[in-house]
């Protein structure tokens, strides 16, 4: 048993899965106990059964549509940010002149909360889909670029020097050394950024929206319908797990030479 508690030591896949399932089971038990033993009112913490019934009712009353709308906004904003941010971050991590030009500017904008731009995005982009997508883009773009830059910076200098010693030209070093070494880390960065995208789309949907999971949560809050609020929140968690696992599968498929043990 002690071998499973050694630092940074892989464990069998079945044990990993069993522990993951056990964590959710314990969470449900703690939730149910908090309601029954703690005598918490349903407006504060509804029982799991009430949330399940609300989920079934909402599934036939617009929940699927709200999921689709939020997913579209997240995906579009995320892809736009990645399409611009990843190449820019790679260039900044590879060329100091590019880093010197962009890094202070991006660091300046990075500390401005995306939620502060919501009134401006409404003025600039009205209240339609472009406004929600714009908030997602602003929320993740600046951090994404700087994190990709750091990943590219961390490519071992020994690999680059060896390539030059063997006669490779700068473009070949970039294509054959820097990119293959940086792409696995960039994929991990994108996985983290997608989680931020879900946060920012909910923030955007809390204001000037009539659809989406954020609107569902806000509307349920106005009606003091706590089970519906929990459905919206838990739905985001489920979608997050699906996105996260999809990234892990894609990672193993794209970079089999770096496949991690569980």
């Amino acid at each position: 048993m002690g071998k499973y508690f050694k630092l940074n030591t892989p464990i069998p896949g079945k044990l990993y899965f069993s522990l993951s399932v056990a964590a959710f089971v314990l969470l449900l038990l703690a939730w149910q106990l908090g309601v029954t033993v703690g005598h918490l009112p349903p407006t504060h913490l509804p029982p799991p059964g009430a949330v399940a019934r609300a989920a079934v009712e909402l599934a036939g009353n617009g929940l699927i549509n709200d999921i689709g709308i939020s997913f579209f906004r997240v995906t579009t904003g995320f892809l736009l940010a990645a399409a611009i941010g990843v190449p820019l971050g790679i260039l900044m991590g590879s060329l100091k002149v590019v880093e010197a030009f962009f890094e202070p500017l991006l660091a300046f904008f990075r500390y401005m909360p995306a939620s502060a731009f919501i009134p401006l995005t409404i003025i600039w982009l009205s209240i339609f889909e472009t406004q929600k997508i714009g908030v997602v883009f602003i929320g993740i773009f600046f951090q994404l670029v700087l994190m990709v830059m750091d990943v590219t910076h961390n490519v071992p200098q020994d690999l680059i020097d060896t390539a030059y010693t063997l006669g490779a030209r700068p473009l070949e070093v970039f294509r054959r050394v820097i990119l293959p070494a940086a792409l696995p880390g960039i994929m991990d960065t994108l996985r983290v950024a997608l989680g931020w995208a879900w946060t920012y789309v909910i923030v955007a949907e809390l204001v000037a929206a009539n659809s989406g999971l954020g609107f569902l949560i806000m509307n349920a809050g106005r009606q003091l319908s706590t089970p519906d609020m929990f459905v919206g929140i838990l739905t985001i968690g489920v979608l997050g797990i699906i996105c996260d696992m999809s990234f892990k599968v894609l990672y193993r498929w794209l970079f089999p030479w770096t496949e991690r043990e569980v």
Side-chain angles (χ1 to χ4, degrees), residues 169-190:
R169 297 180 179 181
L171 187 59
E172 291 177 318
V173 173
F174 178 79
R175 184 169 58 89
R176 294 179 177 272
V177 177
I178 294 177
L179 274 183
L183 282 176
I186 292 172
M187 180 64 72
D188 281 334
T189 299
L190 290 172

Side-chain angles (χ1 to χ4, degrees), residues 4 19 28 34 40 42 78 93 101 109 114 116 121 137 141 148 168 179 185 197-198 204 207 219 230 241 251-252 260:
Y4 295 140
L19 290 172
L28 284 174
L40 294 175
F78 171 77
F101 184 84
F109 281 107
T121 57
F137 179 89
F141 175 74
V148 171
L179 274 183
W198 277 105
V207 181
N219 192 48
F230 267 78
I241 289 179
Y251 184 101
R252 295 190 183 100
R260 304 160 178 164

Side-chain angles (χ1 to χ4, degrees), residues 139-256:
I140 68 175
F141 175 74
F142 304 106
Q143 289 92 336
L144 176 63
V145 174
L146 294 175
M147 289 179 69
V148 171
M149 179 191 72
D150 287 339
V151 168
T152 309
H153 266 319
N154 291 333
V155 174
Q157 186 63 37
D158 290 345
L159 295 177
I160 298 173
D161 292 340
T162 300
Y164 278 127
T165 301
L166 293 174
R169 297 180 179 181
L171 187 59
E172 291 177 318
V173 173
F174 178 79
R175 184 169 58 89
R176 294 179 177 272
V177 177
I178 294 177
L179 274 183
L183 282 176
I186 292 172
M187 180 64 72
D188 281 334
T189 299
L190 290 172
R191 180 165 64 92
V192 174
L194 185 57
W196 299 337
W198 277 105
T199 299
Y200 288 114
V201 78
I202 299 306
V203 171
E205 290 175 350
L206 293 177
V207 181
N210 57 8
S211 60
L213 292 171
F215 171 76
L216 170 66
I217 294 169
M218 178 60 72
N219 192 48
R222 294 192 187 103
Q223 300 175 19
L224 294 179
S225 179
T226 313
D228 289 359
M229 293 174 64
F230 267 78
V231 171
I233 295 169
L234 294 177
T235 299
I236 297 168
V238 172
L239 293 172
I241 289 179
I242 293 172
C243 291
D244 203 64
M245 296 304 297
S246 299
F247 259 96
K248 289 183 178 181
V249 171
L250 185 62
Y251 184 101
R252 295 190 183 100
W253 179 67
L254 290 175
F255 314 115

Side-chain angles (χ1 to χ4, degrees), residues 62-87:
L63 177 61
I64 304 301
N65 184 60
D66 286 328
I67 291 173
I69 291 171
S70 292
F71 188 80
F72 167 77
R73 292 165 177 166
V74 165
T75 304
T76 306
F78 171 77
L79 290 177
L80 285 173
I84 302 172
V86 171

